[in-house]
Amino acid sequence: MRKGTALVVGATGITGGNLASYLVASGWSVYGLSRHASEQGGVIPVAVDLLDSQATQQALTGLPITHVFYCTWVRRDNEQANIEANSAMMRNLFAALDSERLQHASLVTGTKQYLGSFEAYGSGRIETPFRESEPRVPGDNFYYALEDVLFEAAQRDGFSWNVHRPHTVIGYARGNAMNMGTTLAVYASICKATGQQFVFPGSQTQWNALTDMTDALVLARQMEWAATTPGAANQAFNTVNGDVFRWRRMWREIGEYFGLEVADCPETPQPLDDRMANAKTVWAELVQQYRLVEPDLDKLASWWHTDADLGREQECVNDTTKSRDFGFDHFRETRSAFFDLFDRLRAERIIP
């Protein structure tokens, strides 16, 4: 028996792609919504731009969706524009779905719940570990706007909901704009090809402080669990691997994996967005030399996002006590998550 009919919104991204594959394997019927059709095995593609309300209505009318898993966003020039665009997307989605069939909706946001938006990053100054009960940080934040649209639709149409707050998701994905794992693999590959030291691009604070991360499959497991466990309905959950680490150790271990000389952390940040300005030329040479399958560096590396994560001047540790108390106790070592991803990237000839 099928567990339900899921609509994964953002099915080609790092979160949605891994979730869609996981749900198929777990016994769901899965529709994958994205602007460009998903080619995942077992996933029924739905290609539509959610900003187009009429096209969204046409694409979703009649689909027997019981569970929505919302794993997408669009980036605009400022946070108010982020709020307007992302809220419109979610409203168009719920307006197009059959409310009588819909049982549950899950929303993925993240640690900017506690840190503030891109424009006011780190302004919250909420003490770690971050707990789900913390009040919203003052200022515009499209995460809060998406929550409000979700709560409004759930109350109106009578379905249950969950909000999931991961911290820096790592996992296999191509063409994703927020993918630190693949970005670091590409950076390390370029360092090796050019004889550069493996230099940490971020702040001394991130180098020395404790932090955590989220493996995409840990997030997928938690999303399915919360959506199908009655006692977990209508709750927000932090979602991290369960271990903590310091970048000063993790960076050296990643460098050792790639056989690189690891430099000491610079006194001032050395952003990848600046240092990798000419990386496309090097990458083109590596693609030809090793017959790599992805020549478009922009589909692999997100320098700006990794710079934002590693450049913070604040410790980031998420409390998962609530999730464990509700019954979810899956664990993943972050170092192994990185290395397993690197192994797969090599096996599929995405990196040398």
Side-chain angles (χ1 to χ4, degrees):
M1 292 182 62
R2 291 288 173 180
K3 293 182 177 180
T5 302
L7 177 66
V8 177
V9 182
T12 57
I14 186 172
T15 297
N18 283 278
L19 173 65
S21 295
Y22 177 81
L23 292 176
V24 168
S26 187
W28 293 70
S29 296
V30 179
Y31 288 85
L33 189 152
S34 53
R35 281 187 289 272
H36 305 288
S38 171
E39 299 178 357
Q40 290 175 270
V43 177
I44 305 166
V46 179
V48 69
D49 184 349
L50 288 177
L51 286 169
D52 186 331
S53 59
Q54 184 176 356
T56 301
Q57 190 76 41
Q58 293 173 346
L60 297 180
T61 295
L63 297 187
I65 305 302
T66 60
H67 292 70
V68 166
F69 298 91
Y70 197 91
C71 312
T72 193
W73 71 293
V74 292
R75 190 183 185 194
R76 294 293 187 257
D77 291 337
N78 57 68
E79 195 62 16
Q80 186 56 47
N82 282 338
I83 290 172
E84 293 173 3
N86 286 280
S87 297
M89 288 168 60
M90 182 176 275
R91 286 197 178 95
N92 290 340
L93 172 75
F94 285 125
L97 291 171
D98 183 348
S99 60
E100 293 185 2
R101 290 180 182 268
L102 188 59
Q103 300 172 19
H104 186 88
S106 300
L107 166 65
V108 177
T109 59
T111 308
K112 286 192 292 297
Q113 174 81 21
Y114 312 111
L115 292 171
S117 68
F118 285 123
E119 291 183 354
Y121 211 45
S123 63
R125 296 298 172 188
I126 295 175
E127 187 175 16
T128 56
F130 302 140
R131 297 192 178 105
E132 295 90 340
S133 58
E134 300 289 354
R136 290 178 173 181
V137 175
D140 292 338
N141 192 323
F142 81 89
Y143 282 1
Y144 306 155
L146 285 177
E147 284 188 342
D148 290 342
V149 174
L150 173 68
F151 300 156
E152 176 187 331
Q155 184 175 20
R156 179 189 67 232
D157 297 333
F159 58 81
S160 59
W161 56 268
N162 286 114
V163 177
H164 300 265
R165 299 170 183 167
H167 178 205
T168 310
V169 180
I170 54 172
Y172 180 80
R174 287 165 64 181
N176 181 255
M178 300 173 70
N179 192 340
M180 180 190 284
T182 305
T183 297
L184 293 184
V186 169
Y187 170 48
S189 299
I190 290 172
C191 286
K192 190 162 188 176
T194 56
Q196 299 179 55
Q197 289 184 315
F198 193 45
V199 178
F200 185 73
S203 67
Q204 287 275 344
T205 300
Q206 286 306 300
W207 180 256
N208 292 307
L210 287 171
T211 192
D212 51 27
M213 296 183 77
T214 306
D215 183 89
L217 290 178
V218 172
L219 177 55
R221 285 174 179 265
Q222 192 198 57
M223 292 182 75
E224 183 194 35
W225 162 79
T228 56
T229 302
N234 304 328
Q235 298 291 332
F237 293 108
N238 290 337
T239 317
V240 288
N241 291 338
D243 62 346
V244 294
F245 65 92
R246 301 181 200 276
W247 274 111
R248 66 190 186 205
R249 174 184 290 181
M250 184 71 75
W251 195 257
R252 296 187 187 283
E253 291 172 334
I254 292 174
E256 289 171 1
Y257 176 97
F258 286 99
L260 293 169
E261 180 182 352
V262 179
D264 290 332
C265 181
E267 289 296 323
T268 59
Q270 306 291 315
L272 294 174
D273 213 17
D274 296 332
R275 295 180 55 231
M276 294 291 105
N278 299 317
K280 289 184 179 180
T281 300
V282 178
W283 190 251
E285 295 171 355
L286 290 176
V287 168
Q288 184 174 14
Q289 180 180 355
Y290 294 98
R291 298 182 180 180
L292 303 181
V293 299
E294 183 51 76
D296 189 350
L297 188 58
D298 290 337
K299 292 184 178 180
L300 298 175
S302 49
W303 311 124
W304 68 270
H305 181 256
T306 296
D307 285 339
D309 270 358
L310 299 182
R312 298 181 188 129
E313 296 292 346
Q314 180 179 351
E315 180 181 78
C316 296
V317 177
N318 291 268
D319 190 336
T320 58
T321 301
K322 178 180 177 182
S323 184
R324 292 194 301 271
D325 282 347
F326 274 76
F328 182 80
D329 58 3
H330 187 68
F331 175 91
R332 182 81 162 96
E333 185 197 32
T334 301
R335 179 178 58 176
S336 296
F338 269 123
F339 293 172
D340 287 350
L341 171 61
F342 300 156
D343 287 346
R344 181 173 178 183
L345 293 175
R346 277 182 165 169
E348 299 194 12
R349 299 207 330 275
I350 292 174
I351 62 171

